[in-house]
Amino acid sequence: MTRLLALLAALALLVPGPALAEGEAAIPEPDDYRMDAYLAPVPDSLAGAHVVGDAAAHALWHAGVAFIDVLPRQPKPANLPKGTLWIEKKRLSIPGALWVPNVGYGRIRPEIDAYFRRALESVTGGDTAVPVVIFCRADCWMSWNAARRAVLDYGYTRIFWYPDGSDGWDFADLPLEQIARFE
């Protein structure tokens, strides 16, 4: 019961996107997925999803809602000299989040689509009504695309999009930890 009350409290904290500076125009939602320039200002809304700010994201995290981080994975450079040791960059993110990289591009290959579906199923038990928070970092269209995909293509009904992502979380002085990539 306490968990349910915490979740309801979190839902009450839903806030609109960041306030616009004077003379600044709102970013409209595109009709389709964003296909390029993924690191740019994002809309304040996402049809079919709930947009949350730092306080609501923290309340949802505290209530035990699953968080999925969709920051892309840096690919191993193809031109590395033979024998060069490649050390993958670690991801500091929201504690307990599942890192599901490369699912936020505008077009994804069938194997990436299946990978994202598996990740969502792993945190929801296959129940599309289970709440999930999807994020990346501030001004990252990857999270907008991934949350849109979860809602429109996969039928999830309780997707929370956290547009400030790990940057907002860190700025709010909330803890970050190294997280593992979903396999």
Side-chain angles (χ1 to χ4, degrees):
M1 186 58 125
T2 303
R3 207 168 177 175
L4 176 60
L5 292 175
L7 180 58
L8 292 175
L11 294 175
L13 291 173
L14 292 178
V15 294
L20 296 173
E22 189 174 326
E24 187 178 20
I27 307 295
E29 281 191 51
D31 294 331
D32 204 355
Y33 295 104
R34 176 77 171 233
M35 302 302 280
D36 57 15
Y38 296 109
L39 202 54
V42 295
D44 293 338
S45 61
L46 174 54
H50 305 279
V51 181
V52 296
D54 300 329
H58 186 252
L60 289 163
W61 176 77
H62 189 68
V65 172
F67 276 60
I68 293 183
D69 185 339
V70 299
L71 182 78
R73 179 177 173 217
Q74 184 178 5
K76 181 178 178 179
N79 60 349
L80 281 179
K82 186 173 179 144
T84 301
L85 178 63
W86 169 253
I87 300 173
E88 184 173 9
K89 188 176 179 178
K90 305 296 182 200
R91 174 67 173 137
L92 286 178
S93 188
I94 297 170
L98 189 63
W99 184 23
V100 186
N102 305 332
V103 299
Y105 289 103
R107 280 193 199 93
I108 57 175
R109 297 184 320 266
E111 60 271 17
I112 297 296
D113 181 75
Y115 170 69
F116 190 24
R117 288 176 188 268
R118 278 195 322 275
L120 284 166
E121 288 171 8
S122 78
V123 299
T124 64
D127 183 347
T128 58
V130 169
V132 176
V133 177
I134 295 178
F135 69 99
C136 183
R137 49 182 284 201
D139 290 330
C140 179
W141 281 86
M142 294 285 180
S143 62
W144 190 90
N145 280 347
R148 184 178 200 272
R149 185 167 282 121
V151 170
L152 292 181
D153 295 351
Y154 307 159
Y156 281 83
T157 59
R158 298 193 57 207
I159 294 296
F160 293 86
W161 175 47
Y162 180 28
D164 288 337
S166 57
D167 292 341
W169 191 268
D170 187 34
F171 189 75
D173 203 27
L174 296 168
L176 295 174
E177 71 177 20
Q178 184 175 317
I179 62 170
R181 186 167 36 94
F182 178 73
E183 296 294 337

